[in-house]
Amino acid sequence: MFGTFQQSNLRIEVDASEQQIRDSLLCPDQFRQWLAPQTFSAGLPDRLQKGTIFTSYIGPITIRHEVDLVEPNGLRLLMSQGIDGFHQWYWGDGWVQSSLEGISLLPLNLGQTFSLLRLRQFLAQQKA
């Protein structure tokens, strides 16, 4: 894999319940909305579960994801191809934390920050 090893941990406050955050991270119908312009392979289940494998696309870059862990307040995705590493999510009432580690040519911290801001905006719109 070409690229640089990158590591980033971000935590933000959101105006949402633990259940709303969980659904926005585990339900493809929801995360497709707030992760745009990133697109996803067809055939995803209604809810991610351990062992689910899917592909996402950021322009010409393909990223393979494998759901490694799903807990009541956590999710871990193993990634390969465009990013070799992992992405962990933890959440609770009013907060969400994202930890990302991997080797990639992509600026992971920038993408992670943008994604968390989009998630916060998505959750705020769900409340309205």
Side-chain angles (χ1 to χ4, degrees):
M1 177 71 199
F2 292 104
T4 314
F5 175 76
Q6 301 170 59
Q7 181 177 6
S8 180
N9 297 297
L10 297 173
R11 181 179 172 132
I12 62 169
E13 291 183 16
V14 293
D15 185 18
S17 70
E18 177 181 317
Q19 182 64 49
Q20 290 169 309
I21 298 166
R22 180 182 302 113
D23 289 346
S24 68
L25 292 168
L26 296 179
C27 298
D29 285 345
Q30 291 193 32
F31 66 67
R32 276 188 171 106
Q33 295 176 53
W34 62 268
L35 281 172
Q38 189 173 2
T39 59
F40 297 87
S41 54
L44 281 168
D46 292 338
R47 192 172 195 84
L48 296 181
Q49 54 191 321
K50 183 177 172 62
T52 301
I53 296 173
F54 61 97
T55 304
S56 68
Y57 308 91
I58 304 170
I61 298 169
T62 301
I63 303 167
R64 180 185 182 270
H65 305 265
E66 180 178 348
V67 179
D68 183 50
L69 178 72
V70 177
E71 297 178 328
N73 295 79
L75 168 68
R76 182 173 52 232
L77 302 167
L78 303 178
M79 300 178 297
S80 58
Q81 295 178 338
I83 302 170
D84 282 335
F86 67 89
H87 194 171
Q88 291 187 146
W89 293 90
Y90 294 102
W91 60 85
D93 282 329
W95 63 273
V96 63
Q97 179 173 314
S98 167
S99 299
L100 183 58
E101 226 176 81
I103 297 172
S104 182
L105 293 172
L106 298 169
L108 298 183
N109 182 266
L110 180 63
Q112 181 187 29
T113 301
F114 181 70
S115 294
L116 282 170
L117 293 174
R118 290 287 312 257
L119 174 59
R120 177 190 278 164
Q121 180 183 24
F122 174 79
L123 291 167
Q125 290 171 346
Q126 298 299 307
K127 277 231 176 227

